[in-house]
Amino acid sequence: MSDAADLRRRTAALLAAHPVATTDRLDFLRARFDAGLAWVHFPEGLGGLGAPRALQAVVDAELTAAGAPDNDPGRIGIGLGMAAPTVLRYGTEEQRRRFLRPLWTGEEVWCQLFSEPGAGSDLAGLATRAVRDDGGDWVVDGQKVWTSSAHLARWAILVARTDPTVPKHRGMTYFVCDMTDPGVEVRPLRQITGEAEFNEVFLTGVKIPDAHRLGEVGDGWRVAQTTLMNERVAIGGARTPREGGMVGVAAAAWRAHPELRTHDLHQRLLKLWVDAEVARLTGERLRQQLTQGQPGPEGSGMKLAFARLAQQLSGWEVEFRGEDGLTYDDWTLRRPEGVDFTGRVAGYRYLRAKGNSIEGGTSEVLLNIVAERVLGLPPEPRTDKDVAWKDLPR
Ligand SMILES: Cc1cc2nc3c(=O)[nH]c(=O)nc-3n(C[C@H](O)[C@H](O)[C@H](O)COP(=O)(O)OP(=O)(O)OC[C@H]3O[C@@H](n4cnc5c(N)ncnc54)[C@H](O)[C@@H]3O)c2cc1C
């Protein structure tokens, strides 16, 4: 198995064979994948070397120092954080080989067709139907909503109901959906920020070959758990340097504007700074504990902490900036491309952070998960567990 020294040697060999200054960006990313340096904890032949996940930092540091291009992780977060670990765990060898390389290099963007108008927190109640045709393939009809990046996506991870006669958790199946199918219609949805990061997606007679099913028929809930657990780690557990992210923005505002400082705001910023550092170090420990792509319910705790901090810090910044905190920079129906939250005004950060406690599972639902699966408290009463989905009131 690779250790840090071996990874440094392999990274140096990659850089020697593909000099950063003269190699096309995509060629470099493909070569990096083929060298097993994309995600070192993935298996050999699929962008990794079967190395401990924590050693990825060694490769990343060497490549950053050499000025190597990255795969623009912000643009392909759903593919990297959610689709990839699910394809790795449940995909056939053929599916893994088809999907993982262009996913990692960013040649193919992925989106997540889970939430529906009548099924968000209660994802298992979803109504989009997948019906098998005579050839054994599938025809999908239904509506999804809040689908981030659907307007950019080549592929989607999709959960659909394949058997309405059994209780809701048992009658779903997980697919990879081709977003270029003529039956897929994507319509933008404007958010509180004025942007349209996400969309409604209408599925009408969409054909999905059985070869694009992930996991067994009827096992969609179990497959979706892998996606959701990874989603929470991807949202809440991103690696940041000390004073990175939202706390860095708030601290920079504090340093730049001594004239706006008050004792109360100072005390609150110090407390938030400490909370952010605790969250960062806890995330570091969580990442070290992760075995290959299989986070547990602890990721829900990280995502909870992230959402709370992002909302408190952005609220602090708006208050600190006084009148300036109330100005806004862009109400056009813009698709965010290339500008992250640090490049926007305080009001944008404040409004965007509202979504942090909803996306990837609401904070209330994550509290339930932490209560039941981390603390072992009694479960919520669930009266629909043994009722066929078709008989549930909707
Ligand atoms: C920015 C953003 C991006 C998103 N991107 C995607 C995406 O790409 N793909 C996708 O599929 N979805 C996406 N979503 C949707 C998101 O997953 C859902 O909004 C979320 O799961 C909540 O579902 P809902 O909106 O239907 O609210 P509901 O489930 O109707 O919840 C309404 C309220 O009831 C509370 N509640 C519900 N059930 C319980 C319970 N059991 N206990 C306590 N309280 C409860 C909730 O916490 C919430 O406050 C995105 C959402 C946002 C905000």
Side-chain angles (χ1 to χ4, degrees), residues 115-358:
S115 303
E116 299 184 0
S121 302
D122 181 24
L123 178 64
L126 59 80
T128 291
R129 285 295 315 274
V131 177
R132 219 162 191 168
D133 67 17
D134 295 342
D137 293 330
W138 300 86
V139 180
V140 178
D141 288 278
Q143 185 196 340
K144 298 288 178 174
V145 73
W146 320 124
T147 318
S148 306
S149 304
H151 54 293
L152 305 171
R154 169 71 174 85
W155 300 105
I157 40 178
L158 164 77
V159 191
R161 186 152 310 278
T162 42
D163 186 353
T165 66
V166 296
K168 60 182 183 178
H169 290 92
R170 283 194 251 140
M172 293 178 288
T173 303
Y174 198 117
F175 299 97
V176 173
C177 173
D178 183 347
M179 293 295 285
T180 65
D181 185 286
V184 177
E185 187 191 346
V186 177
R187 297 188 198 159
L189 276 176
R190 189 197 281 253
Q191 300 157 233
I192 192 174
T193 54
E195 299 172 331
E197 279 176 271
F198 50 35
N199 308 270
E200 300 178 286
V201 178
F202 296 86
L203 306 165
T204 313
V206 175
K207 297 202 167 30
I208 300 187
D210 194 51
H212 286 183
R213 171 166 50 80
L214 281 184
E216 298 302 318
V217 175
D219 211 18
W221 182 249
R222 197 155 65 97
V223 184
Q225 290 313 303
T226 294
T227 309
L228 295 175
M229 294 295 185
N230 279 283
E231 177 173 24
R232 282 151 201 167
V233 172
I235 295 176
R239 176 173 277 122
T240 47
R242 176 180 280 190
E243 228 183 70
M246 204 76 99
V247 71
V249 176
W254 175 266
R255 292 190 183 108
H257 295 285
E259 76 285 3
L260 297 176
R261 296 175 186 170
T262 68
H263 175 70
D264 175 55
L265 284 162
H266 189 207
Q267 295 302 106
R268 280 159 56 198
L269 180 58
L270 285 178
K271 179 177 179 313
L272 289 169
W273 194 97
V274 171
D275 288 350
E277 187 58 7
V278 169
R280 186 182 75 81
L281 293 172
T282 310
E284 202 58 50
R285 216 174 80 184
L286 177 72
R287 271 189 297 280
Q288 283 168 5
Q289 285 170 349
L290 288 180
T291 53
Q292 189 167 294
Q294 298 309 316
E298 299 83 2
S300 298
M302 281 309 301
K303 202 256 161 183
L304 257 175
F306 157 79
R308 196 172 287 168
L309 264 169
Q311 291 177 353
Q312 289 176 346
L313 280 162
S314 59
W316 179 92
E317 194 196 354
V318 166
E319 202 176 327
F320 176 69
R321 288 181 181 277
E323 285 174 17
D324 278 352
L326 300 175
T327 57
Y328 203 69
D329 55 347
D330 190 354
W331 283 112
T332 56
L333 183 63
R334 208 169 63 90
R335 299 287 199 178
E337 273 283 353
V339 185
D340 76 355
F341 67 92
T342 57
R344 300 291 301 274
V345 294
Y348 171 82
R349 285 185 278 280
Y350 179 73
L351 293 176
R352 181 60 186 83
K354 295 292 171 203
N356 293 155
S357 54
I358 305 173

